[in-house]
Structures are given as C-alpha cells and as structure tokens.
Amino acid sequence: MDFDIANYMLAKENLDHEQPVLNEEYRKQLAGNLLKDSNLMHKNSRILAFKSKPPPPPEGFERNAKLLYSENVHGGAAKRSKIYRHIPQSAERTLDAPDLLDDYYLNLLDWSSRNVVAVALGNTVYLWHATSGSIEELMQVSEDDGPVTSVSWGPDGKHIAVGLDNGEIQLWESTALTKMRTLKGHTARVGSLAWNGGPILSSGSRDNAIFNHDVRIRDHLTTKMNAHEQEVCGLKWSLSGQQLASGGNDNLLHIWDASMMASGAPSSYLHRFDEHQAAVKALAWCPFQSNLLASGGGTADRCIKFWNTQTGACLNSVDTNSQVCALQWSRHEKELLSSHGFSQNQLCLWRYPSMVKMAELRGHTSRVLHLAQSPDGYTVASAAGDETLRFWQVFGTPDNNKQQLLRTRSVESTTGINNVSCANIR
C-alpha cells in the first residue's frame, strides 16, 4: 500500500484521456523510480497481477527455502495432525445371561471397584471376576421373596446391596459370600439403589418413596423422601456425595441436597424437573464437572438432557430417536455413552458438549437395559433383554503405548474374532 505508487497510477489513468502535460521521457523516469518496472507503464498493467509462474528466487536462497518447506510439511504437519481414537465396533467378550429380566425399571448390573461384575438373573445374583474370568453365585432368594430387582456395589468393592421384589434390601459381603443384614421399610419392590461414597445407601421403590439407610447403625432408616408419584427407577449420588438425583415413572427428575437430609428436618427436594415426557431411569453425573447431570427419558421422550444442578438450568436436550435406558460418562475424555431400546437396540458414543455422535455399537438384539463401567474407566459392560452381557472397550485402552497401538491395531477387533471367548454365566 504505497501511496506514491497509487497516486502515480491514478494520475496515469487520467492522463490517458487528457492532453499530456508531462513529456514521455519524464513519465518513463517516474515509472522506473516508483514501480521499478517500465512495463507497468502499459495501459493494461495491474498491481498484483496473476502470472503464469512466480519469478525465480534470488541466487543463494533456493536451497534454504526448499529445506524450510520440507520441514514444515513433513515435520510440523505431522506433529499438528490430530490422532483419532479407534473405537472397536464389536464386543470384546460376550457372556450368556439366562433369565435376565426384560424390565426397564430395574437395575440389575453393577461393576465393583475390585473389578467384579454383579448381575441379577431371576432370583440369583452372580459374580463374574474380570481378572480371572471365574464365576460364582453370591446368593439366591425364594420365589416368594424374589426376583432380585436391583444390585449396587458399595464403595469398598466388598459389600453389595441387593434389592428384592418383596421390598427388602440385603447386604452381602462378597469375599466370604455371607449376608450381613437385611434392611426393611419399603412396601414394594426396590428397583434402584445408590451409595453416597460412604455408609449411606439410598433406595428407590415402587411404593414411590426414597429411603436413606445408614448401614452402620441398628435403626438404619435415617431419611424418607416422598416427592415422586410413581415408581422410583433411577437413583444416582454425585461424586462429591452432596447431591442425589432421582428419576421416576412419573416423568419427574428431582435433585436432593445431602446437607438438608443430614439436618433431620423433613427432606424436600432442591430442584424439580418435569421436562421429560417419559420415565426417567438413565442418570449419570459428570466426572469433570461436579454440578453437571445427564438424564435420559423413555420411549415417549427419547431425549438426553443436561442439567446444571446448582442453578437448575437445562443446558441442552438431544433427541436420540430411541428409548434411553442407561448412561455412562467417560473418565478420560469428554464423552458420553448411551444405551437404547426400540428400534435399534444400540449403544451410542457422543462427544460432549457438541453431542456429535462418534460411534454406534450394535450386537444386542433386544433393548440394552443396563450399563456398568470398569474400575479403570476404559471398558463398559452392557446387559440386554436378549439375555447377554457384552463388554465394549469403548473409552480407549489402558496400554502405555496407546497412540502407537491405535495406529497399528489389526482389523481383528472389528471382525468379531474376540467374540469367540464366550461363557455361560449359569
């Protein structure tokens, strides 16, 4: 943007249509000094004109420019390129799970901090040890008391709570396979259980009530919460143990404050959300943002909604076009896994907060009712109405040479070769 050159070019255009004031020799001298190119004196010449090829570089600079170009393209670009994680499209392992109840409102699968999977099949709870692959029976109830309607591991990975159809909750010690005690109070089946990270166990029932139990004391029932009008099918404590989320068949989602419960006063909810149009069973607290909760609605709703439980604001709502049965956040990436019912019966991996769908995992032939995550956060187990458990390495790999493994991984993980290692839980 040289104003002397621009002024000369404008003056030259005017002089082409008027009586020349400057003689031709003077104009050539002026052009030579300003533009360094006498050809630009021509009437059709243009600044920044397109050329067939660039002028050759000054002598002595060609080799250096070539090296610089090569380093930028072959070195810098490779460093800046984003490496995308490979997501296996088939399950790493499949286990048969006969008599797994096809009931949306129950919670029959959980994975302990000691790497043991508990699954309720009819009247029996089985334990599958992920490290050894061994299976053992934890407990079995009679036809009058069963079936088992919920299971939930305690934070220590040794004790497990088992909810029954008769309204009772049994506490078991898993290493010795012994029953510790029975918690009573509900008048209908206990379909949801949640620990607060300590000795407090919350239970949700078809009697519409939520109870808090302190399992250390004789009079275990410490708090009663009555806000739902139908069965409580979803319960989740936040990672901090400060808030409890409850979802019900009345399409309502409530947030409860732990400090209000501890005060001994009649507990009232902190927030009441009624935006879902179907039962709210799928609940998941975000591991990287303490006040962020994801919830999923049933067949008439099909949405995943995100809530700021501090302000009570709905941050986003995504229509998944299918019944949402369960949700699991990744502990390593900003990703969310959802499992679905009719009509695809698939698992969907979403990137948060854009909610771009990263992958769809298929294999189940019935609705995928339950999800549980391994202690290392890389593998997710799914249980479906087709009476199978499937294990998906959907959140990455724990290997140290992770990136190298992702680049060189063979196609066997997507061709079902790993599925040959199947076992019958019975």
Side-chain angles (χ1 to χ4, degrees):
M1 300 296 291
D2 192 313
F3 287 100
D4 289 334
I5 296 177
N7 181 62
Y8 167 74
M9 295 301 293
L10 290 173
K12 182 178 74 68
E13 292 295 328
N14 292 332
L15 288 174
D16 288 340
H17 300 89
E18 299 175 1
Q19 183 67 28
V21 176
L22 303 174
N23 59 49
E24 190 67 20
E25 185 62 26
Y26 175 75
R27 290 173 62 186
K28 287 181 180 181
Q29 290 293 330
L30 187 61
N33 289 329
L34 288 176
L35 301 178
K36 309 297 183 184
D37 187 354
S38 59
N39 291 330
L40 289 177
M41 277 295 299
H42 191 271
K43 187 164 122 175
N44 295 325
S45 63
R46 295 180 301 162
I47 298 176
L48 299 178
F50 289 101
K51 303 292 182 182
S52 59
K53 60 184 296 186
E59 186 177 355
F61 284 87
E62 182 175 359
R63 183 173 180 274
N64 292 337
K66 182 177 181 181
L67 289 174
L68 180 63
Y69 174 80
S70 301
E71 289 172 2
N72 285 341
V73 171
H74 301 293
K79 293 177 182 178
R80 292 191 301 269
S81 62
K82 183 175 179 62
I83 300 175
Y84 291 92
R85 187 177 81 252
H86 170 68
I87 302 171
Q89 297 297 300
S90 62
E92 297 291 318
R93 182 184 291 250
T94 301
L95 302 178
D96 292 325
D99 296 335
L100 181 73
L101 297 179
D102 188 5
D103 191 325
Y104 177 81
Y105 303 100
L106 306 184
N107 293 273
L108 306 177
L109 179 72
D110 200 15
W111 202 328
S112 79
S113 59
R114 298 193 177 197
N115 209 16
V116 179
V117 177
V119 59
L121 305 180
N123 296 330
T124 309
V125 175
Y126 291 93
L127 304 180
W128 181 77
H129 297 263
T131 53
S132 63
S134 62
I135 301 166
E136 59 184 347
E137 180 181 310
L138 173 69
M139 54 86 73
Q140 187 174 16
V141 296
S142 65
E143 292 292 335
D144 294 334
D145 296 331
V148 177
T149 52
S150 55
V151 294
S152 180
W153 283 103
D156 62 0
K158 290 178 57 179
H159 297 87
I160 182 172
V162 179
L164 303 179
D165 189 67
N166 66 358
E168 294 181 354
I169 304 167
Q170 295 184 2
L171 294 182
W172 286 75
E173 206 280 346
S174 62
T175 56
L177 303 180
T178 57
K179 183 169 71 171
M180 307 298 293
R181 66 182 303 184
T182 299
L183 309 177
K184 298 183 179 181
H186 286 294
T187 59
R189 71 179 187 181
V190 180
S192 53
L193 294 167
W195 296 84
N196 78 332
I200 303 300
L201 172 67
S202 298
S203 58
S205 171
R206 186 180 266 180
D207 62 15
N208 308 342
I210 302 171
F211 292 166
N212 282 345
H213 312 266
D214 189 333
V215 300
R216 301 168 299 179
I217 59 178
R218 179 183 179 89
D219 298 327
H220 55 86
L221 187 55
T222 60
T223 314
K224 298 181 181 180
M225 293 163 282
N226 293 285
H228 287 280
E229 300 170 2
Q230 294 190 42
E231 180 173 12
V232 180
C233 51
L235 274 182
K236 282 291 189 301
W237 277 97
S238 63
L239 300 182
S240 65
Q242 295 303 307
Q243 291 184 329
L244 173 68
S246 66
N249 194 32
D250 51 7
N251 308 347
L252 296 177
L253 170 62
H254 289 102
I255 306 298
W256 309 83
D257 184 77
S259 60
M260 297 174 64
M261 299 177 191
S263 66
S267 183
S268 59
Y269 51 78
L270 184 64
H271 297 294
R272 178 183 185 271
F273 302 129
D274 59 3
E275 281 84 345
H276 281 292
Q277 304 301 310
V280 184
K281 177 204 173 189
L283 299 172
W285 289 92
C286 179
F288 53 83
Q289 187 174 333
S290 60
N291 61 342
L292 176 60
L293 174 71
S295 62
T299 305
D301 181 76
R302 309 175 306 179
C303 291
I304 299 174
K305 296 183 184 295
F306 298 91
W307 310 91
N308 183 326
T309 60
Q310 184 176 1
T311 63
C314 182
L315 305 176
N316 193 11
S317 180
V318 179
D319 190 347
T320 68
N321 298 310
S322 186
Q323 178 189 46
V324 183
C325 301
L327 295 169
Q328 284 284 336
W329 285 96
S330 169
R331 301 175 199 163
H332 307 286
E333 304 287 345
K334 290 187 176 181
E335 297 169 1
L336 179 70
L337 183 69
S338 59
S339 69
H340 300 273
F342 182 81
S343 62
Q344 300 298 319
N345 305 317
Q346 85 279 38
L347 286 76
C348 295
L349 183 62
W350 310 84
R351 188 180 301 280
Y352 184 84
S354 66
M355 291 305 287
V356 172
K357 189 182 294 184
M358 300 172 60
E360 289 193 13
L361 310 178
R362 304 179 187 275
H364 285 293
T365 57
S366 183
R367 56 184 179 177
V368 188
L369 296 168
H370 315 290
L371 293 177
Q373 193 170 165
S374 63
D376 64 11
Y378 291 106
T379 304
V380 173
S382 61
D386 59 11
E387 298 186 338
T388 66
L389 268 68
R390 296 174 187 264
F391 295 82
W392 314 82
Q393 201 169 37
V394 66
F395 288 142
T397 171
D399 292 350
N400 293 330
N401 298 326
K402 181 177 178 181
Q403 300 298 346
Q404 181 178 357
L405 175 64
L406 298 180
R407 290 185 180 185
T408 61
R409 188 166 187 162
S410 66
V411 295
E412 69 177 16
S413 61
T414 59
T415 56
I417 291 177
N418 291 328
N419 277 347
V420 298
S421 58
C422 301
N424 191 308
I425 281 187
R426 278 286 175 87

